[in-house]
């Protein structure tokens, strides 16, 4: 027997001692790669496999699953198949038994997983922070391979210890060399896929169909979106990135294709994570095609921004692999649909403001809920202006501006000029347009009040609220611009003036001299009957105003006080002057208390009741007639 034959026979004997088909079964079957300190037998087995391949390479007739081949194969090929079967079992054992137990939930810590929120600066942030990468991760990558690129945002974790990865690589390289790489890859995917699925479950990623998502109430869905964003960052930058690194270190540059099923070294990774990735991104896809309504806008922007932030990482992890590229393509398409949803919701919001029906007038002429909703919404729009400025690229169209023509809620908008400033962003034009149509809608709602004074008070309250919401938000003010803000302020001033004229002109007319003088002598040329009627008219008009307008509401404290002061500055001097000139004519007659019912101080106290939104309280009035 020559030397080669002796080597081959010795290699066969080593391999056949570990024939898995002869094992008794059970959990006590000895394993070569058990992680123990004695590696001599494992190394001897690997050398024997190398010798078998070197001295008796397998023929094409025996390529395939070792468990499916006939036991009547040639002895040498049989030894190779025994070796492949054993290595397959060993590969599964190492993957299953030596995986590290890590706290996957810790990956959801956004402080370690999120990159700079400003995407325009993300590249420079990564460069500046390169020195902050986890040393253990960097060194681990350096030991195994420098070909695998890790973004700063990615935080890989060691799924198996280094020695286990080295064993898996050793096993995979022998199986691939013997054209059993596909079987090795299938074992890898069958073991790692449940682990990946379990990791996503622990991160809170639920298995929900599109129908399940669309049937959820918005409050529940909103909470799930928040959890999804955290989970997606952890899944992509932690779980999937770690899985790809592990797969890379085991299968890189190995010919794992079978003759009937071409594959690449990324195939095991794709098969292990594809189902979980599709499930993860399926949630965002369901949101992107869900029914559009204004309250969903900002959470969908959050979802869009989170996905945009993740796409460079998704590209790095998936797009480089032809077998996993579809996951990256899906993520890009979902982001595009989310962008369409944002634009659609924005348009729906404008239409909702325009066509909000009058229904019933709000009590007391206070700020309408629509006004509060629209202005708070507009302020939030400005908080999201970076993204919205990217997505809203056209100004309100002429057809949209004229869409309300014939609308019963508002005057015709056909003649409305939308202010457009030089270099004004399309988003700014839309915000101005939203406020314009809000104003016109409010004018329609103001007609619901039968009292013209209350109608003007309603407009005054609402335009004042709009102006102050703009002033309270520098971003919103910047978009509205000073010229349009001046126009809004002018509308508020006009509404306040119209209120005072409609409400107080009649009362102040009672305090004029006209109609009180009678022809004749100058010393007593006052008609006492006319004067008594004038006092009675004033009392009745003021009491009616006090009774009614105490129930009206000016919710802004400063505006309420300013309006009372304005009323008092007109009313009290006029009444004091009238009382000073004519009270003696009444006091010299019978029952003066029937005509002079109020002192100036009484009126001043009564004015303090106005606009509280509650019925007036009784006052102790000081009688001037004593």
């Amino acid at each position: 027997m020559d030397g080669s034959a002796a080597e081959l026979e010795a290699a066969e004997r080593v391999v056949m001692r570990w024939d898995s088909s002869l094992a008794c079964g059970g959990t006590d079957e000895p394993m070569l790669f058990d992680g123990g300190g004695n590696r001599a037998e494992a190394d001897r087995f690997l050398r024997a496999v190398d010798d078998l391949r070197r001295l008796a390479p397998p023929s094409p007739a025996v390529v395939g699953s070792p468990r499916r081949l006939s036991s009547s194969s040639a002895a040498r090929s049989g030894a190779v198949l025994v070796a492949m079967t054993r290595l397959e079992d060993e590969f599964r054992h190492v993957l299953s038994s030596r995986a590290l137990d890590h706290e996957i939930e810790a990956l959801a810590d956004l402080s370690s997983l999120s990159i700079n929120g400003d995407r325009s600066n993300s590249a420079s942030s990564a460069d500046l922070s390169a020195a902050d990468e986890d040393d253990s991760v960097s060194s681990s990558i350096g030991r195994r391979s420098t070909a695998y690129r890790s973004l700063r945002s990615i935080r890989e974790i060691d799924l198996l210890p280094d020695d286990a990865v080295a064993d898996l690589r050793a096993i995979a390289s022998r199986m691939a060399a013997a054209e059993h790489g596909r079987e090795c890859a299938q074992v890898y995917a069958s073991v790692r896929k449940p682990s990946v699925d379990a990791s996503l479950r622990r991160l809170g990623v639920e298995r929900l169909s599109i129908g399940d998502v669309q049937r959820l109430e918005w409050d529940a869905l909103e909470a799930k979106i928040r959890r999804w964003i955290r989970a997606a960052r952890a899944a992509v930058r932690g779980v999937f990135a770690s899985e790809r690194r592990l797969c890379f270190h085991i299968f890189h540059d190995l010919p794992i294709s079978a003759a009937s099923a071409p594959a690449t070294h990324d195939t095991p990774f794709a098969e292990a994570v594809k189902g979980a990735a599709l499930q993860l991104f399926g949630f965002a896809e369901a949101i992107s095609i869900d029914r559009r309504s204004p309250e969903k806008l900002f959470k969908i922007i959050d979802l869009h921004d989170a996905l945009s932030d993740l796409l460079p990482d998704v590209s790095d992890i998936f797009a480089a692999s032809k077998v996993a590229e579809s996951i990256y393509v899906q993520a890009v398409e979902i982001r595009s649909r989310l962008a369409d949803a944002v634009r659609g919701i924005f348009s729906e919001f404008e239409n909702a403001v325009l066509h909000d029906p009058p229904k019933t007038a709000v009590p007391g002429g206070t700020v309408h809920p629509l006004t509060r909703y629209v202005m708070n919404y507009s302020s939030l729009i400005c908080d999201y202006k970076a993204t919205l400025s990217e997505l809203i690229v056209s100004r309100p169209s002429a057809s949209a501006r004229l869409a309300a023509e014939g609308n019963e809620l508002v005057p015709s908008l056909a003649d409305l000029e939308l202010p457009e400033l030089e270099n004004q962003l399309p988003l700014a034009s839309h915000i101005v347009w939203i406020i314009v149509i809000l104003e016109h809608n409010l004018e329609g709602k103001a007609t619901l009040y039968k009292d013209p004074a209350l109608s003007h008070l309603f407009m005054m309250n609402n335009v004042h609220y709009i102006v102050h919401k703009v002033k309270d938000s520098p971003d919103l003010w910047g978009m509205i611009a000073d010229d349009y803000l001046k126009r809004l302020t002018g509308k508020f001033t006009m509404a306040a003036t119209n209120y005072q004229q409609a409400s107080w002109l009649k009362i102040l007319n009672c305090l004029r001299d006209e109609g009180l003088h009678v022809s004749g002598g100058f010393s007593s040329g006052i008609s006492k009957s006319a004067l008594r009627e004038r006092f009675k008219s004033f009392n009745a008009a003021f009491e009616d105003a006090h009774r009614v307008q105490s129930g009206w509401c000016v919710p802004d404290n400063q505006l309420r006080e300013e309006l009372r002061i304005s009323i008092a500055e007109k009313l009290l001097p006029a009444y004091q002057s009238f009382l000073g000139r004519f009270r003696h004519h009444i006091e010299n007659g019978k029952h003066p208390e029937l005509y002079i019912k109020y002192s100036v101080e009484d009126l001043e106290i009564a004015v303090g009741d106005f606009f509280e939104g509650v019925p007036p309280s009784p006052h102790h009035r000081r009688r001037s007639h004593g």
Side-chain angles (χ1 to χ4, degrees):
M1 181 182 295
D2 60 25
S4 295
E7 282 185 76
L8 182 58
E9 186 177 334
E12 289 174 352
R13 285 197 302 271
V14 171
V15 167
M16 297 308 291
R17 284 203 304 269
W18 293 92
D19 187 351
S20 296
S21 65
L22 303 179
C24 298
T27 59
D28 296 331
E29 180 183 357
M31 303 301 291
L32 286 162
F33 298 88
D34 60 0
N38 185 6
R39 298 299 303 263
E41 191 63 27
D43 291 340
R44 186 179 301 115
F45 187 88
L46 290 177
R47 285 194 300 271
V49 172
D50 291 339
D51 289 343
L52 280 177
R53 179 175 175 274
R54 177 171 53 87
L55 299 170
S59 65
V62 299
V63 173
S65 174
R67 300 187 188 280
R68 294 195 296 270
L69 289 177
S70 170
S71 61
S72 63
S73 300
R76 291 174 182 174
S77 296
V80 171
L81 294 179
V82 168
M84 294 302 105
T85 300
R86 166 53 63 177
L87 288 179
E88 184 177 319
D89 290 342
E90 295 287 342
F91 192 85
R92 180 181 290 105
H93 172 72
V94 173
L95 272 178
S96 302
S97 66
R98 295 170 67 183
L100 296 173
D101 184 17
H102 50 270
E103 295 184 5
I104 196 70
E105 293 83 357
L107 288 174
D109 177 10
L110 301 188
S111 64
S112 64
L113 287 168
S114 58
I115 59 176
N116 192 312
D118 183 356
R119 291 190 295 279
S120 64
N121 295 327
S122 59
S124 60
S125 298
D127 295 338
L128 292 171
S129 304
D132 295 333
E133 289 188 3
D134 187 285
D135 291 338
S136 63
V137 171
S138 301
S139 59
S140 174
I141 294 173
R143 283 197 306 275
R144 294 174 186 171
S145 172
T146 57
Y148 186 87
R149 183 170 65 90
S150 177
L151 294 179
R152 182 211 177 282
S153 53
I154 288 177
R155 289 293 181 270
E156 294 132 333
I157 54 178
D158 289 327
L159 302 175
L160 284 89
D162 288 351
D163 61 341
V165 176
D167 287 343
L168 292 169
R169 172 73 181 184
I171 295 170
S173 64
R174 269 71 177 189
M175 293 185 71
E179 298 186 12
H180 285 269
R182 183 61 180 170
E183 286 73 18
C184 184
Q186 288 172 341
V187 171
Y188 178 90
S190 70
V191 174
R192 292 308 307 167
K193 184 180 184 304
S195 177
V196 173
D197 293 343
S199 293
L200 261 66
R201 283 195 302 273
R202 289 166 64 183
L203 288 171
V205 178
E206 302 175 73
R207 189 175 294 278
L208 298 172
S209 68
I210 289 177
D212 292 335
V213 172
Q214 294 179 345
R215 281 189 292 270
L216 289 170
E217 294 293 331
W218 174 241
D219 287 347
L221 193 57
E222 190 176 18
K224 289 184 185 298
I225 289 173
R226 286 195 298 270
R227 288 197 295 271
W228 184 91
I229 290 172
R230 292 175 63 89
R233 287 169 175 164
V236 170
R237 293 168 171 166
V239 177
F240 297 157
S242 300
E243 290 291 337
R244 186 171 186 270
R245 184 180 69 163
L246 175 62
C247 183
F248 178 88
H249 291 322
I250 296 171
F251 292 103
H252 183 61
D253 290 336
L254 295 183
I256 65 172
S257 300
S260 59
T264 70
H265 67 267
D266 284 321
T267 300
F269 162 71
E271 292 180 353
V273 306
K274 193 168 186 178
L278 292 175
Q279 177 187 337
L280 177 72
F281 292 121
F283 175 83
E285 182 178 20
I287 299 295
S288 73
I289 61 177
D290 197 7
R291 185 180 62 85
R292 296 171 179 177
S293 55
E295 72 272 9
K296 297 180 180 180
L297 177 65
F298 304 109
K299 277 300 164 195
I300 291 181
I301 295 176
D302 286 340
L303 201 58
H304 172 275
D305 287 353
L307 195 52
S308 295
D309 192 37
L310 284 172
L311 276 180
D313 303 318
V314 176
S315 174
D316 186 70
I317 295 167
F318 294 103
S321 164
K322 288 187 177 181
V323 291
E325 184 181 21
S326 61
I327 295 171
Y328 172 70
V329 172
Q330 182 198 28
V332 172
E333 291 175 350
I334 291 170
R335 182 183 64 169
S336 178
R337 284 196 289 271
L338 287 169
D340 289 341
V342 168
R343 286 186 284 265
I345 291 173
F346 203 85
S347 178
E348 288 291 326
F349 174 64
E350 291 179 351
N351 289 331
V353 176
L354 184 62
H355 296 103
D356 186 71
K359 298 180 182 177
T360 56
V362 291
T366 189
V367 176
H368 198 281
L370 178 68
T371 306
R372 295 183 186 276
Y373 181 75
V374 169
M375 294 312 300
N376 288 331
Y377 202 92
S378 298
S379 295
L380 279 173
I381 286 173
C382 291
D383 290 343
Y384 286 82
K385 69 176 182 178
T387 297
L388 284 170
S389 294
E390 294 176 7
L391 301 182
I392 306 297
V393 295
S394 61
R395 302 179 189 278
S397 64
S399 60
R401 288 196 238 168
L402 303 181
E405 192 161 14
N407 180 5
E408 295 177 359
L409 295 180
V410 297
S412 173
L413 298 182
D415 299 326
L416 179 66
E417 292 185 6
L418 179 63
E420 292 188 7
L421 304 177
E422 187 178 355
N423 300 322
Q424 186 181 43
L425 290 172
L427 177 63
S429 293
H430 278 274
I431 292 179
V432 171
W433 173 241
I434 287 168
I435 296 177
V436 166
I437 58 180
L438 171 62
E439 286 182 70
H440 282 76
N441 189 295
L442 291 170
E443 289 172 8
K445 288 174 167 52
T447 62
L448 296 172
Y449 296 101
K450 295 180 180 179
D451 189 328
L454 183 54
S455 177
H456 295 308
L457 186 81
F458 170 79
M459 288 303 298
M460 180 198 70
N461 273 328
N462 282 269
V463 177
H464 179 269
Y465 184 88
I466 294 171
V467 168
H468 275 261
K469 287 298 286 188
V470 171
K471 289 183 175 180
D472 288 344
S473 169
D475 288 334
L476 187 55
W477 192 342
M479 288 200 178
I480 294 299
D482 286 337
D483 287 346
Y484 188 65
L485 185 61
K486 288 177 183 176
R487 174 185 162 182
L488 286 171
T489 304
K491 267 201 160 181
F492 158 72
T493 303
M494 181 179 296
T497 301
N498 289 341
Y499 154 75
Q500 294 203 30
Q501 288 180 346
S503 187
W504 292 98
L505 191 59
K506 178 182 176 182
I507 295 174
L508 292 174
N509 280 340
C510 295
L511 303 177
R512 295 188 304 165
D513 290 3
E514 288 83 354
L516 296 179
H517 296 276
V518 293
S519 56
F522 293 97
S523 59
S524 61
I526 297 297
S527 170
K528 290 186 178 182
S529 61
L531 184 60
R532 285 194 291 268
E533 285 301 317
R534 189 67 63 82
F535 270 107
K536 288 174 64 177
S537 296
F538 172 82
N539 294 337
F542 181 78
E543 287 168 359
D544 183 62
H546 180 252
R547 176 182 56 80
V548 171
Q549 296 193 38
S550 294
W552 292 358
C553 183
V554 176
D556 183 86
N557 293 334
Q558 183 177 347
L559 177 59
R560 183 168 64 247
E561 189 58 31
E562 288 175 355
L563 199 57
R564 289 170 178 168
I565 291 171
S566 178
I567 291 169
E569 286 176 345
K570 293 178 176 65
L571 175 66
L572 300 185
Y575 184 73
Q576 186 173 30
S577 175
F578 190 81
L579 200 61
R581 284 177 289 138
F582 300 113
R583 67 185 300 166
H584 64 281
H585 293 287
I586 300 298
E587 289 177 338
N588 290 335
K590 296 179 180 180
H591 305 294
E593 72 278 2
L594 297 177
Y595 308 105
I596 304 178
K597 298 174 67 174
Y598 299 100
S599 68
V600 173
E601 290 78 9
D602 291 335
L603 293 183
E604 185 175 12
I605 293 171
V607 168
D609 290 333
F610 281 55
F611 317 123
E612 289 287 350
V614 294
S617 57
H619 287 292
H620 171 71
R621 292 192 297 271
R622 188 178 67 187
R623 304 294 185 182
S624 60
H625 58 273

